[in-house]
Amino acid sequence: MISVENVSKSFTLHNQGAAVIEVMSGASFTVAPGECVALTGDSGAGKSTLMRMIYGNYLAASGAIRVGGVDVASAEPREILQLRRETLGYVSQFLRVVPRVPSLDVVAEPLLALGADRNAALDRARDLLTRLNIPETLWSLSPTTFSGGEQQRVNIARGFAHTYPAMLLDEPTASLDATNRATVLSLIDEAKARGAAIVGIFHDAEARERVADREIDVSRFTPGRAA
Amino acid sequence: MPDYNFAYLDEQTKRMIRRAILKGVAIPGYQVPFASREMPMPYGWGTGGVQVSAACLVPEDRLKVIDQGADDTTNAVSIRKFFEKTAGIDTTEHTGEATVIQTRHRIPEEPLTDDQILVYQVPIPEPLRFLEPRETETRKMHALEEYGLMHVKLYEDIARHGHIATSYAYPVKVEGRYVMDPSPIPKFDNPKLESAAIQLFGAGREQRIYAIPPYTRVVSLDFEDHPFVATKADHACDLCGAEHSYLDEVIIDDAGGRMFVCSDTDFCASRQAQGHRGRLSPGEDAA
Amino acid sequence: MTPLLSVRNIRKSYGARIGCADVSFDLYPGEVMGIVGESGSGKSTLLNALAGHLEPDCGEVLFDTRAEGLRDTLTMSEPERRMLSRTDWAFVHQNPRDGLRMGVSAGGNVGERLMAVGARHYGDIRESATDWLGRVEIAADRIDDRPRAFSGGMQQRLQIARNLVTGPRLVFMDEPTGGLDVSVQARLLDLLRGLVREMGLSAIIVTHDLAVVRLLADRLMVMKSGRVVESGLTDQVLDDPQHAYTQLLVSSVLQV
């Protein structure tokens, strides 16, 4: 479902004497449907960079990144947008939303963007917010005013609203209490059970062991440090 | 007489104006620019109408001049005398006897015939002007028949007053093409714009001439659910008793007493001469 | 898939000075494209050239017309182009005074485009106007007020209603949130996002505000000295800028 082939990445800092920083080369791996792969490695090894390249947020310098038949590294913006709408979900560490939009709508939005029936989308959103223990009194408020943990849970609900065939999870259990952490892990299990291919970053070792089928140490893709 | 060329204007100028008139007749409702001359009267006193009349008059003509329906106001008297002096033509106050009628703000009540010319004095010829100040833009709107804006004005009327409150200078569409300002005639007169007489419009300060040829279709703009209505004061003339003529309201004392009289003085006088009487007529019983 | 708008090699010079040059791109139905750059980078010149307000020196602006498919709007006759600009196209000005008739009521402003395409039933026009005022969050009892009596944010929302009432397919926006204070901006952005999604609009938004494009635009074009220096997916261009100028632009934004 997800296939990363010989991908490299460098940053050119034009405003700092055009310094070129090579951060990754020769990255290759695949993820099958129903499989969860955890990216590991020290801080700064490039876990997030790799994940962002898969999402199309960072531009790969070379190589191919195929998600459901689309090469993210060379696709047109609209193809990537369509991929993100229909196929590839992303739960980032931070929630970025338009101010003033109620949490319920924030969660339902990915479904609405797909043209889902509004009531069905809102039902799904209510269901997820309930499971993630967001009190109903907060649903009509914008999450911009919420605590960090509440924001993270709204973010997760939004990420799981649509049943994406491929998902990227960046620290989904960070800053959650035991109950909510368990809920998130079961959401991941459910996604795997329906055949989603998942790439995740989990600092939480226990969670990683619980859901990940394989681990990939990203530091082996670091230039100069490659084995 | 020898002191003036016939009808004051020189022959070249009259030819120039006639060419503009012919173009206007050929394109009903279209505003033809012309090189308006300085006339021996101020702008706003009918310089456009006077130039058009001057270009139309021949020595055999009999001229009538009306100002808001009346033959006896300063403006009407001055223009009549002007042409008596500069063209030596006959004048009249009777609509039926006139061959050329110059008018300000009215169309005579008596139906006009196909051997008459009605000349209007026009202050602002551009019906779109109050909503679109740019002349370049209004010309383009006419050229491309973009007349939505005219309805915006009528919409505003209904929104503010509950009905189309525009009661004079009511915009019309001529022969299905040009939207035209009929000059500040009351909308009561709009139906009379479909006439047997040729109608010419002259705007002196704005330097425009336009025309409605005889028997041309003239439709007053409106909405499907707010159709055009030619309204007048809901009274009969207090002097001649006419029930279907346009009326002026006259305050007659300090106690709020008022009377309604025909604005068309010739029409009213003719009716009275025929023996028609109104509510306040100095009748036999009052004597 | 046919692009809704296909722009080829647009160039506009002011004498020896370049307004914009060598601009080409395709815009697909439902896409929102942002054009960013500092003042004088040519983004407004480009927008005006695309929208037919300025005649470019060369190039093509092909639009997928309903009747005849792709047509070059630059070689279209003026009546056709003007018809397009009051039916399938819309233009939202930075200053609402440029896009509204200040002497005409809110209802008349919204109704004008309807009347321009032949609506002649007062009740229907008023109903549409009321509906649209509601959609841009203007109370129905303000329908007969003139825009002068409105706040800046309301004026801008009114301008949007006036433009969208005829269901256009392509909207040009020139700094739509410029000159509004931050809370009003947020409300407007939220509104625009909803309308774009509901109506399936395509839009080209010129702005110097990177936060605006991040929230509204799918794609981004970065302009400098009249030329496009970088383009791509909005979040990619902002998070992983490739060109020196884009990097400078992104790093110059104050973090809140």
Side-chain angles (χ1 to χ4, degrees), chain B residues 29 32 55 71 101 126 141 148 159 192 207 212-213 256 263 277 280:
Chain B
V32 185
D71 294 87
I101 304 172
E126 179 49 70
M141 291 160 88
K192 288 186 247 165
Q207 316 207 22
I212 303 176
S263 114
R277 288 291 176 269
L280 299 176

Side-chain angles (χ1 to χ4, degrees), chain A:
Chain A
M1 188 66 210
I2 301 174
S3 134
V4 176
E5 295 159 28
N6 207 18
V7 165
S8 68
K9 176 66 188 166
S10 62
F11 291 105
T12 308
L13 306 179
H14 290 284
N15 301 308
Q16 292 171 37
V20 178
I21 304 172
E22 305 278 348
V23 293
M24 195 170 288
S25 69
S28 298
F29 66 93
T30 60
V31 187
E35 193 183 22
C36 175
V37 168
L39 303 180
T40 61
D42 298 336
S43 217
K47 303 186 291 293
S48 287
T49 301
L50 185 53
M51 194 173 266
R52 282 165 170 250
M53 281 196 287
I54 299 173
Y55 196 57
N57 180 232
Y58 280 7
L59 211 57
S62 65
I65 302 170
R66 286 180 222 288
V67 181
V70 176
D71 180 8
V72 176
S74 63
E76 290 286 313
R78 68 197 168 87
E79 295 172 309
I80 297 180
L81 287 171
Q82 191 186 1
L83 185 75
R84 288 178 180 181
R85 242 185 340 261
E86 296 168 3
T87 313
L88 181 62
Y90 180 38
V91 177
S92 65
Q93 290 187 61
F94 304 102
L95 182 65
R96 199 193 299 261
V97 293
V98 182
R100 238 173 49 106
V101 179
S103 302
L104 195 63
D105 289 334
V106 168
V107 175
E109 205 200 353
L111 290 170
L112 295 175
L114 278 167
D117 171 66
R118 183 164 173 83
N119 286 326
L122 290 177
D123 281 345
R124 170 85 178 150
R126 283 187 200 103
D127 179 43
L128 282 162
L129 288 171
T130 309
R131 280 186 74 180
L132 287 157
N133 299 307
I134 301 286
E136 197 170 337
T137 46
L138 298 184
W139 294 359
S140 59
L141 304 178
S142 164
T144 44
T145 56
F146 292 3
S147 73
E150 285 164 343
Q151 286 199 10
Q152 175 64 349
R153 279 179 278 148
V154 170
N155 201 22
I156 288 166
R158 177 183 163 89
F160 280 91
H162 171 52
T163 51
Y164 297 102
M167 294 190 76
L168 307 171
L169 309 175
D170 191 352
E171 298 272 20
T173 56
S175 68
L176 295 184
D177 61 30
T179 324
N180 287 314
R181 182 165 156 276
T183 307
V184 173
L185 293 179
S186 59
L187 281 172
I188 298 173
D189 282 336
E190 288 163 26
K192 282 172 66 181
R194 63 171 164 77
I198 299 173
V199 176
I201 299 172
F202 307 90
H203 280 153
D204 173 356
E206 211 178 302
R208 184 168 66 225
E209 272 157 39
R210 158 91 192 277
V211 294
D213 302 299
R214 275 191 293 141
E215 293 187 5
I216 289 171
D217 185 355
V218 175
S219 48
R220 62 190 165 96
F221 305 137
T222 308
R225 244 201 280 175

Side-chain angles (χ1 to χ4, degrees), chain B residues 56-72:
Chain B
C56 291
L57 287 172
V58 293
E60 298 75 36
D61 271 323
R62 189 176 293 119
L63 178 72
K64 169 181 164 81
V65 182
I66 0 177
D67 176 7
Q68 311 228 34
D71 294 87
D72 52 2

